Amino acid sequence: MTTFGALVRRDLALATLRGGDAALTLVFFVVAVAVFPFGVGPDPDLLARISAGIIWVTALLASMTSLERLYRVDLEDGSLEIMALSAQPLELQVAAKCLAHWVTSGLPVVVLSPLMAMLINLDMAAWWILIVSLAIGTPVLSLVGSIGGALVLGARKSGALIGLIVLPLQVPVLIFGIGAVEAVLRGGPVWPPLLIEAAILIAGTPLALWASAVALRMAIE
Amino acid sequence: MTTSFHRLANPARFQKFARRALPWSWAVAVLGLGSGFVWGLALSPADYQQGDTVRVMYVHVPAAWMAMACYALMALLSASFLVWKHQLAGIAALAAAPVGACFTAIALITGSLWGKPTWGTWWVWDARLTSVLVLFFLYLGYMALAGAFDDRLRGLRAASLLALVGIINLPIIKFSVDWWNTLHQPASILRAGGPSIHASMLWPLAITALGFAAFLVAILLVRIRSELALWRTEALMRRQTRGMT
Amino acid sequence: MSAFFDMGGYAATVWPAYGVTIAILVALVVVSVRSSRRRHRVLERLERETRRQRDP
């Protein structure tokens, strides 16, 4: 567990050193949400109806902005090979990387989501569920994103490629994350989508860790 | 199944098999598709509700079936490539991807054409069409990833893993899209390939599906042989440059 | 006969659907067979060269 903590701490330190990945993701999230009213118009009713979707889709895009860098730096400076050779299972180290990625990209979005929800007129009754659904869903975004980040190591044009690979795989968590918020707005049952979202997180975590580790081993072979 | 599969993993045996199977599969494909299309267009009855638009079913439904079958086949081959290191299996998956993407495109375009008179619009986010759209994206991702590396083998391995991740994800995507669709309650549902289909429509559907399946086999054999030639050429070139230095 | 081509008023639906299907399938065959022939030609040439190099 010491390596796990060390890896998380190192990634977080790197993120702060590089001038704050978290801050950048946060600014992206805020600006991207704020652009939507310019696209669909300022009508409060319309915004209220689509606000959950706007926030969730923007959270998805925000989580992807730093995916390309997730493992590339480790590959270039050789620390990926050290990770693969160390006694700790690579899957555990992938988990540490994902946790660090979530802290710098998912957590800020969760924290700031009520403010953005207010700006685009989401019903206050749904705020809590929005926070909960994002708190469950954003780790999935990081985990699935990690598979994409590991797969494109060494590829040409990896930035656009990650989007093509990762976006379709994120459809389920997006649907149930937004579904939970919409359930509140429509007066339907909130628990089914929320529980399914949690199930995706629980079942998806080992799968994503395994797939990322396999992809990383391919990259250094 | 496993033994024949392992035996086919030998390129020389595969070439022999391909030479023998190709004429037959082309013949079944042309006959099946030809007679199926004529049957579907001219001989089968119009639906009492959908009228003649139901004839689109004979191309739309088998194409969608083949699109899904092709992805399952691709994932199986990819698994065999990653687990047992059968390079031929990986190459076969690579050859299958564009074919699957074409079937998916056919299913999407014909579904959209069918949607115009049924729904009054070209595209509706119907559960079935949406799932097929995501499947199309998965194919595109596989092909893009496989082609994104200077080292062809590296690209193939990455793409094979993506195919596996995709096949695990597909049922979840299907389930979530169905759930999402009932939440938003669409205006009408495309009734295609339902259980209450009449025998006069089942036969042309079965024949076209057979034609599509034979077409899939034939085009796969052609494309695998083509890929094998390419890989062998590159291996020879590598050996030549190594001999020079 | 014209009733057949009219497709009960749905000619604009049925014929393009079959047309697109056939067009895509034919295009797939043409592209695949052509590139296969090209690749096999290149391979055969290369194999002849290597054989000549090995036993001149």
Side-chain angles (χ1 to χ4, degrees), chain B residues 8-96:
Chain B
L8 278 182
N10 178 332
R13 283 219 189 83
F14 168 78
Q15 296 283 10
K16 213 171 133 196
F17 168 77
R19 261 196 301 279
R20 227 181 290 155
L22 256 176
W24 287 103
S25 38
W26 278 129
V28 176
V30 170
L31 277 177
L33 288 177
S35 58
F37 284 1
V38 170
W39 199 334
L41 279 171
L43 306 174
S44 74
D47 188 70
Y48 74 99
Q49 265 183 326
Q50 301 198 32
D52 282 294
T53 57
V54 79
R55 300 186 195 282
V56 178
M57 176 178 75
Y58 306 117
V59 286
H60 173 76
V61 171
W65 283 344
M66 287 309 128
M68 285 184 273
C70 200
Y71 197 90
L73 178 71
M74 212 173 84
L76 199 74
L77 289 165
S78 298
S80 153
F81 170 62
L82 289 178
V83 177
W84 294 296
K85 310 256 186 286
H86 286 163
Q87 193 157 327
L88 181 62
I91 288 173
L94 199 59

Side-chain angles (χ1 to χ4, degrees), chain B residues 163-212:
Chain B
L164 283 188
V165 172
I167 199 84
I168 297 168
N169 230 284
L170 259 180
I172 308 169
I173 292 173
K174 183 89 185 64
F175 167 69
S176 60
V177 167
D178 284 347
W179 183 86
W180 164 80
N181 206 249
T182 46
L183 185 75
H184 292 269
Q185 276 167 359
S188 68
I189 299 161
L190 188 62
R191 267 187 305 275
S196 59
I197 186 165
H198 193 259
S200 59
M201 293 178 180
L202 204 59
W203 271 110
L205 185 64
I207 301 268
T208 3
L210 178 73
F212 267 104

Side-chain angles (χ1 to χ4, degrees), chain A residues 147 150-156 161 164-165 168-169 172 175-176 179 182 186 193 196 207 210-211 214-215 218-219 221, chain B residues 82 134 137-138 140-141 144-145 147-150 154 157-158 161-162 165-166 168-169 172-173 175-177 179-180 183-184:
Chain A
I147 305 176
L151 277 175
V152 301
L153 282 177
R156 292 174 258 122
L161 195 56
L164 181 56
I165 291 173
L169 300 176
I175 285 178
F176 290 110
E182 298 234 308
R186 290 156 182 260
I196 296 169
L207 273 172
W210 167 79
V214 173
M218 284 176 183
E221 253 173 36
Chain B
L82 289 178
V134 178
F137 293 155
L138 290 179
L140 292 186
L145 188 61
F149 293 84
D150 293 324
R154 162 86 181 96
R157 302 185 67 195
L161 184 64
L162 180 64
V165 172
I168 297 168
N169 230 284
I172 308 169
I173 292 173
F175 167 69
S176 60
V177 167
W179 183 86
W180 164 80
L183 185 75
H184 292 269

